[in-house]
Every structure is written in C-alpha cells, then in structure tokens.
Amino acid sequence: MKASIYDVARHCGLSVVTVSRVLNNTANVREKNRRKVLDAIEALDYRPHAAAQSLARGHTRIIGLIMTALHDRFFESVVNEINRTLARYGYFLALSVSNDVRSSERHDLMHEDRVDGLILMSLPEEEQYIAQLKKRSIPFVLIDNQRRDHMVPSVLTDNYYGGYEAAKHLLSLGHTSIAHVCGPEYFLSTRERKRGFLDALREEGLSPFAVVQGEYEIGFGYDTAKSWIESGKLPTAVFAGDDYIAVGIVNALAEKGMRVPEAMSVVGYDDQYIASRLRPYLTTVRQPAESIGQSSVELLLKWIGDGSTASVTVEWKPELVVRESTAALKA
C-alpha cells in the first residue's frame, strides 16, 4: 500500500501542514523539521501526486538540467544525486545533453511553461544561457560555473584548494620537477586548479617542469607522457587535471615498461570510478558529488518556493585521497 501524506506526518511526528509546506517548498519551515520530513519521505518511499500538485500550483513539477557531457562519472554522480533529491521533493528531472561543449544552441527546456526551473552544469557559454533565463524569468542555478561574478545562485568546488593540495602532496614527497597536464582554459575549474598548483610551487621557490593544456581525455594524457618519454626528459611527478588524463599518463609509461610511482608519481582529480579500480590505485582529489547535487537542488527550490533570487554561492572543499600512484622521490 502506498504511503500517504498522513503516514509521513505520523512517521516524523509533525503536522500534515508542515509536511505539505516542505513538499511545496514554502518558507518558514525550520531546517530541523524540514530534514525530519525529508527523512520520513525517503524511509516510506512516499511520492506525492505530482499531477494534482501541478494543477493546484500552476507548476510542471519538472526541473531541467542542461549539461555538455555524460561520459564523465563525476558529473554522472552529480546528476544521480540531483535526481534523487528532486524525487524527495516530488519533482521530476528532464535532462538535456549537448555534445558540443562550446555550443550556445537554444534548448527546448528554456521555456517557462515546460520546467519550473533549470540547473546549468559546467557550460562554457553560460552567459548566453543566463541572459535568456533572466529574460524569461525562469529560476536557475549554476554548477561549476565559469565566472564568479555573475551574481546568481551557484554551486562550486574550491578548485584552487584542490590544485594547491595536490602540489603540496607531491612537494612533501620530495619532488621538485613537477608537471601539470590540464584541460581547456575556458573552464574556471581548469584555471583555478592550475593557479593553486602554481602558487604551491612558488611558495617553495620552484617553477613547474611544464604546464601542458589540452582536453580532459585519456588520449591527451597518453600523448603528453609519450612526448616526454621520446624526448628523454621526464618530470618526477605530475598533477593531472582529471583522472582521465592521469590514466593516459600511466598507460604511456606502462607501455614503455615504466612503473608508477617508481618512474613517476601521478595525482589525478575527481576520484572517478576508475581511480580505485585500475592499478596502481590512483592518488586523486575527490569532489563531493552528492553535496554538490543536493545543494544545487535546494538552492533552486528555495528560489521557486519563496521567490528568493539572492546570489548565493555554495562552495565545497575537495579532499586529497592518497593511494598507490604517488611515492617519495628516491635519492
């Protein structure tokens, strides 16, 4: 038998009115009580009647998500958490994926009568989207935005801190010849990781072995490491802009019989699924995908519920995860 709103109220020990307020994202609900209701909804697998709510409030109960790729397991984790959190609030997710990262094409989701709000994730041409959404008065939230001065609700990871911690880890192991292999410059995350990396080296009076910019792809990491091998000049350590680049570097070295971390220490970024599956297990910087997904939904539903358009920026700290791909420099 399906759980009802009355079952939810009994389970969390609160009134039906309070449960209803949480479901409809209205203001003046204490955070403690809101959490109780959400936990009860999840425990009972309660699903509000979306059609009835939509008719009553004039809303679609649909949230759109526009992103540029879905092959990245980190972004996939964020999307899964967005979907799970939306379901707890009685919303559905509509996903739009563009294969062209520089595309500014018009999306069908960007119509006020089709979605209640939008989440934009890591879009290089985000300014054009922002202008259209403001014009149409559609609530929205940015994830992994490319600028910090948009004055709109956004959710970020402190990528400067992540790059800094990655470099400090390699420096603590005695490495002084350290390269950085990173993604495209138009991503704020790329620029911030690089800035943190360079600042950590400057504090020790060091310059990088090299900073090589390309794509967040295994092939780019492989080609970069292969060119170093062919030149006969290699760094002793590398900070890769993401785990895919790191895997490419490890593959190129392995092809020549060079082991990681004996021949080179390698740090990745994102803590993708492969980071803890391929040997050597990859030292990497983990981004909190679940927290990013959940906070983006809560920011957006607050805007939808009470009309709040405050330019709130939620920034999460990444975490260095030390595994097998880094080791102390041998004398």
Side-chain angles (χ1 to χ4, degrees):
M1 189 176 192
K2 279 187 176 182
S4 69
I5 192 171
Y6 301 100
D7 295 324
V8 174
R10 280 194 293 269
H11 191 277
C12 63
L14 297 170
S15 69
V16 172
V17 173
T18 300
V19 174
S20 179
R21 284 176 177 168
V22 172
L23 289 171
N24 290 294
N25 309 304
T26 55
N28 303 322
V29 177
R30 292 179 182 176
E31 180 63 21
K32 181 180 178 181
N33 289 342
R34 188 172 68 84
R35 287 292 171 192
K36 282 184 178 180
V37 172
L38 292 176
D39 289 343
I41 288 170
E42 188 164 18
L44 298 174
D45 194 27
Y46 172 69
R47 293 292 180 267
H49 196 301
Q53 287 187 318
S54 298
L55 288 171
R57 301 178 62 222
H59 289 175
T60 65
R61 305 297 293 184
I62 296 172
I63 297 298
L65 171 60
I66 300 176
M67 59 188 299
T68 55
L70 201 55
H71 68 272
D72 188 301
R73 287 298 293 267
F74 165 69
F75 284 135
E76 182 181 331
S77 297
V78 174
V79 172
N80 286 338
E81 184 59 29
I82 288 172
N83 189 49
R84 191 183 75 85
T85 306
L86 285 172
R88 293 175 71 185
Y89 285 99
Y91 279 81
F92 297 93
L93 178 65
L95 183 62
S96 176
V97 181
S98 173
N99 292 323
D100 183 357
V101 296
R102 301 309 302 272
S103 172
S104 58
E105 63 180 301
R106 183 173 175 175
H107 283 265
D108 289 339
L109 291 179
M110 294 179 65
H111 294 272
E112 60 273 18
D113 59 343
R114 297 187 180 180
V115 295
D116 290 346
L118 277 169
I119 297 172
L120 309 180
M121 185 153 64
S122 197
L123 298 178
E125 302 292 346
E126 66 189 12
E127 291 184 44
Q128 297 181 34
Y129 292 98
I130 290 171
Q132 289 188 51
L133 291 169
K134 284 183 174 180
K135 183 178 179 180
R136 300 176 186 184
S137 299
I138 301 175
F140 66 95
V141 170
L142 305 181
I143 295 179
D144 190 30
N145 39 298
Q146 312 316 324
R147 287 174 48 184
R148 287 179 171 269
D149 58 352
H150 284 312
M151 303 302 288
V152 298
S154 59
V155 180
L156 292 165
T157 303
D158 188 345
N159 285 290
Y160 174 88
Y161 176 82
Y164 183 86
E165 287 296 294
K168 292 293 285 186
H169 171 64
L170 293 171
L171 290 166
S172 73
L173 295 173
H175 296 280
T176 56
S177 179
I178 309 172
H180 180 38
V181 185
C182 55
E185 183 73 12
Y186 51 76
F187 287 119
L188 175 63
S189 55
T190 297
R191 302 194 299 273
E192 289 293 278
R193 291 169 197 176
K194 180 171 65 175
R195 188 168 68 88
F197 167 80
L198 292 174
D199 280 356
L201 264 61
R202 287 193 193 103
E203 288 178 2
E204 302 299 324
L206 297 172
S207 297
F209 171 88
V211 175
V212 188
Q213 203 139 26
E215 299 297 329
Y216 288 119
E217 296 175 353
I218 292 175
F220 171 58
Y222 175 88
D223 291 341
T224 301
K226 187 176 179 181
S227 69
W228 291 337
I229 295 168
E230 291 172 350
S231 73
K233 296 179 65 177
L234 287 81
T236 64
V238 177
F239 167 43
D242 81 340
D243 293 338
Y244 288 123
I245 293 174
V247 168
I249 292 169
V250 172
N251 286 350
L253 293 168
E255 194 175 80
K256 296 296 182 180
M258 305 171 73
R259 293 174 58 87
V260 171
E262 290 82 1
M264 185 186 297
S265 285
V266 179
V267 178
Y269 208 101
D270 285 342
D271 196 22
Q272 302 263 5
Y273 179 80
I274 57 174
S276 59
R277 296 300 185 275
L278 299 180
R279 302 299 294 265
Y281 298 145
L282 187 64
T283 295
T284 187
V285 180
R286 176 186 296 153
Q287 299 195 73
E290 291 78 12
S291 298
I292 292 169
Q294 182 174 330
S295 57
S296 66
V297 169
E298 292 177 346
L299 276 180
L300 181 57
L301 295 188
K302 179 175 173 54
W303 183 345
I304 294 170
D306 61 20
S308 171
T309 57
S311 56
V312 177
T313 296
V314 177
E315 188 166 52
W316 295 97
K317 286 279 188 189
E319 173 192 3
L320 179 70
V321 180
V322 179
R323 296 195 180 103
E324 300 174 346
S325 66
T326 53
L329 180 67
K330 292 183 178 179

